[in-house]
Amino acid sequence: DSGVTQTPKHLITATGQRVTLRCSPRSGDLSVYWYQQSLDQGLQFLIQYYNGEERAKGNILERFSAQQFPDLHSELNLSSLELGDSALYFCASSVSAGPTDTQYFGPGTRLTVL
Amino acid sequence: EDQVTQSPEALRLQEGESSSLNCSYTVSGLRGLFWYRQDPGKGPEFLFTLYSAGEEKEKERLKATLTKKESFLHITAPKPEDSATYLCAANQAGTALIFGKGTTLSVSS
């Protein structure tokens, strides 16, 4: 158990809908990262927050957005969902935002768009 | 373009048959090279971080090494419970991890 929690574990929804994925980092960690894992693309970085502020952006679609709250939990919002958004979404956390910080991953949310 | 490539994609071993997994990277200014283990449907589990060429780290039957262009994960006398996908990732400048697509290891008894 990494100490990172994610809810829900599974989410099934229809195209065009909007969903919210939630992540609580390990106690004491200030950075939260979101990754998407699909069969053909592997793990792809989406976005990072550090202590409530957006720190870095990766291949995140405009339909997706995220935020980190004062209690450091984070939410990833996915809207106008398409079939291709079906994937595993992982949250990771680290103590700070340094390049050598270990990122600890949560158990993931499996999103299925029908 | 920064890239991490892992080989082989899949590896089947008999219990006790040692082998190595390869991770080659083209990342300028590498700050850290990370190895993770991922079981099906689960989140990646941290194994090692390597910071500079020549560094080695060990944990049970696993040993990770780093050169200027690649990293190896050596598995000595593997057991069926070592079956998993092993992911390699590079960190360049404090932002995202760049992951390889992984090597799926199957160990049969």
Side-chain angles (χ1 to χ4, degrees), chain A residues 4-76:
Chain A
V4 179
T5 60
Q6 290 187 248
T7 56
K9 290 189 76 172
H10 302 278
L11 204 46
I12 300 174
T13 188
T15 54
Q17 294 298 304
R18 173 190 169 93
V19 297
T20 297
L21 282 53
R22 183 188 168 105
C23 167
S24 292
R26 294 186 322 153
S27 177
D29 284 0
L30 298 178
S31 263
V32 169
Y33 309 77
W34 286 97
Y35 290 84
Q36 179 191 58
Q37 187 175 40
S38 57
L39 281 173
D40 56 341
Q41 291 292 323
L43 267 163
Q44 298 282 314
F45 168 70
L46 296 178
I47 197 164
Q48 177 199 2
Y49 279 81
Y50 174 71
N51 204 20
E53 300 287 327
E54 183 184 301
R55 184 68 175 240
K57 249 181 175 176
N59 300 319
I60 189 166
L61 299 171
E62 284 192 15
R63 301 183 284 110
F64 295 1
S65 65
Q67 55 184 324
Q68 187 179 29
F69 294 87
D71 68 351
L72 300 177
H73 91 271
S74 177
E75 293 181 356
L76 179 66

Side-chain angles (χ1 to χ4, degrees), chain B residues 6-63:
Chain B
Q6 292 187 246
S7 62
E9 286 187 21
L11 181 63
R12 290 183 179 276
L13 298 174
Q14 291 289 319
E15 185 171 4
E17 180 187 1
S18 302
S19 188
S20 294
L21 282 53
N22 177 265
C23 169
S24 63
Y25 61 90
T26 52
V27 173
S28 58
L30 181 79
R31 303 296 299 275
L33 190 291
F34 299 78
W35 282 97
Y36 288 85
R37 168 192 170 128
Q38 186 175 27
D39 292 302
K42 304 280 181 71
E45 176 190 342
F46 171 71
L47 293 173
F48 304 108
T49 309
L50 301 166
Y51 299 104
S52 57
E55 190 174 2
E56 298 183 352
K57 287 195 176 168
E58 280 189 74
K59 179 180 177 179
E60 295 180 358
R61 295 177 292 283
L62 301 176
K63 182 167 86 171

Side-chain angles (χ1 to χ4, degrees), chain B residues 7 28-29 61 63 68 77 84 97-98 101 108:
Chain B
S7 62
S28 58
R61 295 177 292 283
K63 182 167 86 171
K68 288 187 177 178
L97 289 176
I98 304 167
K101 294 195 174 180
S108 52

